[in-house]
Amino acid sequence: MNNPVFIVSGTDTGIGKTIFSAALTQALQGSYWKPVQSGLEEETDSETVRRLAPHCPVLPEQWRLQLPASPHLSAEQEGVEIDPVALTIPHCDWPLVVEGAGGLMVPLTRSQTYLDIFALWQLPVILCARTQLGTINHSLLSLEALRNRNIPVLGVAFIGHAHEDSEGIICELGKVRRLGRLPVLDDLNPQTLAQAFTENFNLHDFIGGDR
């Protein structure tokens, strides 16, 4: 296996893609990288993954910004200039999970979004989508944005309580693979998360038969 890289993005912020990223990193026995972190007062995404996948390397963020806001605004408030071109995938000896911020169109600067970076990288994107009301529109728009930029889509990972019709219609209309659904876990810890991933996802959908 040639140490694959997976880009995890979402249809919105706060939908659980960091929890999914931790689960995927743990299942792959891989590494995790959050290129830009906005907001440092509460537990960061890297710290969450380190807590939920304690045996997996967490690479340092390239930019750490204090203000919990869109990266472009956080950077401006601190007098920092994010250089999207400098956001290059780090070399890693294991599978690497890279997590974006919020949704695809979150701006890194006044002129470039995460979608622009993903288009440069041309790496498979896993779209995390909630299962609540509104997910069909958000998910299909996100898939259309990825396709319009010729960005490969590995599939959709749903997060939340089961809603079979919404999950089905998103994958049918979006012409994309349903990777699985990560349920809400009342007791969230490395063990329960690993079990939930194993029960609801097939690792071969991510890496084929090489592992």
Side-chain angles (χ1 to χ4, degrees), residues 7-72:
I7 309 301
V8 176
S9 189
T11 57
D12 203 346
T13 189
I15 63 171
K17 69 180 180 300
T18 300
I19 305 300
F20 171 80
S21 294
L24 179 59
T25 302
Q26 186 172 221
L28 292 168
Q29 299 176 34
S31 297
Y32 169 88
W33 184 48
K34 175 89 172 184
V36 181
Q37 173 65 50
S38 297
L40 302 178
E41 290 187 2
E42 299 182 355
E43 185 178 55
T44 67
D45 292 343
S46 292
E47 290 167 346
T48 297
V49 173
R50 189 175 288 113
R51 173 170 57 86
L52 294 174
H55 302 297
C56 297
V58 175
L59 307 182
E61 303 95 334
Q62 196 156 340
W63 275 277
R64 288 171 58 86
L65 306 167
Q66 189 70 39
L67 182 68
S70 173
H72 83 284

Side-chain angles (χ1 to χ4, degrees), residues 52-118:
L52 294 174
H55 302 297
C56 297
V58 175
L59 307 182
E61 303 95 334
Q62 196 156 340
W63 275 277
R64 288 171 58 86
L65 306 167
Q66 189 70 39
L67 182 68
S70 173
H72 83 284
L73 182 58
S74 299
E76 289 177 356
Q77 291 289 315
E78 296 182 30
V80 174
E81 184 176 350
I82 295 176
D83 180 6
V85 177
L87 283 175
T88 56
I89 302 294
H91 172 76
C92 192
D93 293 328
W94 300 276
L96 179 62
V97 175
V98 180
E99 183 187 354
L104 295 166
M105 298 299 289
V106 167
L108 287 162
T109 69
R110 290 283 171 179
S111 61
Q112 289 189 292
T113 68
Y114 266 99
L115 188 66
D116 295 315
I117 303 306
F118 296 161

